Amino acid sequence: MSIQFNVPDMSCGHCVQSITTAVQQAVPGARVAADLAAHRVTVEGAADVERVRAAIAAAGYEPQLVG
C-alpha cells in the first residue's frame, strides 16, 4: 500500500531526514520517499494512514493526505 502526503513546510534535507526517521520508527520496514521540490512524501509498506500522519506531525510538520 502506498500513502502520499503533501508536507508544505518540508524545505530541506534535514526535514526529509526527520520525517523519514519518524515514519520508520512508527512503522518499521516502511519505505519512505520524499520529493523535496514537490513537498511530497510517499510511504510504502504502511497500512495505517493515521499512524504515518501522526509520526510526521510528531516530527514537527503538518502533513496533508493526498487522495
Side-chain angles (χ1 to χ4, degrees), residues 5-26:
F5 289 94
N6 184 39
V7 186
D9 47 350
M10 181 177 69
S11 61
C12 67
H14 180 264
C15 298
V16 170
Q17 185 60 44
S18 294
I19 290 169
T20 300
T21 299
V23 171
Q24 289 176 335
Q25 286 178 345

Side-chain angles (χ1 to χ4, degrees), residues 26-28 48-56:
V27 186
D48 188 344
V49 173
E50 183 55 31
R51 176 177 267 176
V52 175
R53 189 210 63 75
I56 296 171

